[in-house]
Amino acid sequence: MSSNKSEFLIKTLIGHARFVRCCTYSPNGQFILSGSVDKTLKFWDAESGLELRTLIGHSHNVEACAYNPNGQHILSGSADNTLKIWDAHTGEECHTLTGHTGLVSSCAYSPDGKWILSGSWDGTLKIWNAASGQEQRTISAHTNDISSCAFNPDGNLILSGSWDKTLKIWDVKSGEVLNTLKGHHQSVRACAYSPDGRFIASGSADNTLKIWDATTGEVLRTLRGHKSTIWSCAFSPNGHRIVSGSFDWTLKIWDAEIESGTEQ
């Protein structure tokens, strides 16, 4: 039976003026970062839910956001086709990365912080040098726009989600597809690995959040509660919680504990 929900909900954060497109925890778990159609990024206190700071710089929707592993910088991707690197402490803009020809829908740092991964509506994944901002590699993927991407904790695999309703697991070095995950009824808009690499979370236009076994590709849990498309999701650093952001203007925090190997 599918899990129904609200018994796993811990807190709802309200503050953005328009739809929330992306969200993530800081490496130490103390803060949540979110991005919105209102063109801003916001910092929140993860425990209290209090809004702490707003970053302004993109000229269009903020579609994606990520912390680097040491928590010193944050990365954002936008419908203005660029990525920006920001100082996480001061909120100052550090660099702008250009190269995509379509909306940047997703972005991530490699576990060692040396590389940046981005996915775009131009149908490509790009790998960048995090220090220089130079593009290193382009991978053509999926049969439709790429909506989300992530490195696994070891940095040797890439996860991508697409409007083609699937997720794919890729080998970083070869660019080969290792597994395709199917289960969502509408486009996949968000994906994330758990800190230990054992699980994958995905959010979809079918309004559900799914937790998958990263090795077998099996669906372990389906979470319902959002009233519209889920645009973003992330595990907490200890893997016990998942935060999700939705077109319903809210973020939700969920219990991510898996008690068995079958869907709940």
Side-chain angles (χ1 to χ4, degrees):
M1 296 291 292
S2 294
S3 201
N4 207 3
K5 74 288 177 160
S6 46
E7 74 240 36
F8 299 110
L9 178 62
I10 296 170
K11 195 178 295 292
T12 298
L13 313 184
I14 300 174
H16 279 292
R18 297 195 66 191
F19 313 126
V20 176
R21 295 293 189 107
C22 56
C23 57
T24 188
Y25 276 94
S26 62
N28 61 12
Q30 294 180 359
F31 306 104
I32 289 172
L33 175 68
S34 61
S36 168
V37 176
D38 64 16
K39 305 178 187 179
T40 71
L41 294 121
K42 288 183 182 292
F43 285 95
W44 311 78
D45 183 281
E47 185 64 28
S48 68
L50 181 68
E51 181 183 330
L52 303 176
R53 182 185 297 139
T54 299
L55 306 184
I56 300 173
H58 282 292
S59 61
H60 214 309
N61 307 350
V62 177
E63 301 284 339
C65 59
Y67 270 91
N68 75 335
N70 64 18
Q72 300 301 305
H73 292 92
I74 61 171
L75 177 68
S76 59
S78 171
D80 62 17
N81 300 354
T82 72
L83 296 105
K84 290 183 182 293
I85 300 174
W86 311 74
D87 186 295
H89 299 293
T90 66
E92 293 182 3
E93 182 181 326
C94 302
H95 301 288
T96 298
L97 310 183
T98 60
H100 280 295
T101 57
L103 174 153
V104 179
S105 57
S106 52
C107 60
Y109 277 96
S110 61
D112 60 10
K114 294 180 178 180
W115 309 102
I116 286 171
L117 173 68
S118 61
S120 170
W121 284 11
D122 63 15
T124 68
L125 292 162
K126 289 183 182 292
I127 298 177
W128 314 74
N129 183 295
S132 67
Q134 295 298 306
E135 181 183 329
Q136 302 296 306
R137 185 176 185 182
T138 298
I139 301 173
S140 295
H142 290 286
T143 59
N144 209 326
D145 297 341
I146 296 172
S147 57
S148 52
C149 62
F151 282 99
N152 75 332
D154 291 333
N156 63 332
L157 299 176
I158 289 173
L159 174 68
S160 59
S162 171
W163 286 61
D164 64 13
K165 305 178 186 178
T166 73
L167 296 106
K168 291 183 184 290
I169 299 173
W170 307 77
D171 182 273
V172 170
K173 291 184 178 180
S174 68
E176 178 186 359
V177 177
L178 302 180
N179 202 353
T180 298
L181 312 185
K182 299 179 180 180
H184 282 293
H185 301 298
Q186 296 294 332
S187 56
V188 176
R189 303 296 180 89
C191 63
Y193 271 100
S194 62
D196 60 9
R198 295 174 55 209
F199 304 107
I200 287 169
S202 62
S204 169
D206 63 17
N207 302 353
T208 70
L209 190 73
K210 289 183 181 291
I211 302 176
W212 312 71
D213 184 298
T215 301
T216 67
E218 181 183 4
V219 178
L220 301 177
R221 178 181 289 172
T222 298
L223 301 174
R224 296 175 174 86
H226 279 294
K227 298 179 180 179
S228 189
T229 299
I230 298 172
W231 282 94
S232 54
C233 63
F235 282 89
S236 62
N238 62 12
H240 295 167
R241 295 181 180 182
I242 297 172
V243 61
S244 59
S246 170
F247 224 51
D248 64 13
W249 296 23
T250 71
L251 297 100
K252 294 184 184 294
I253 300 173
W254 309 83
D255 184 342
E257 294 289 344
I258 300 296
E259 297 177 357
S260 71
T262 58
E263 184 173 2
Q264 300 175 338

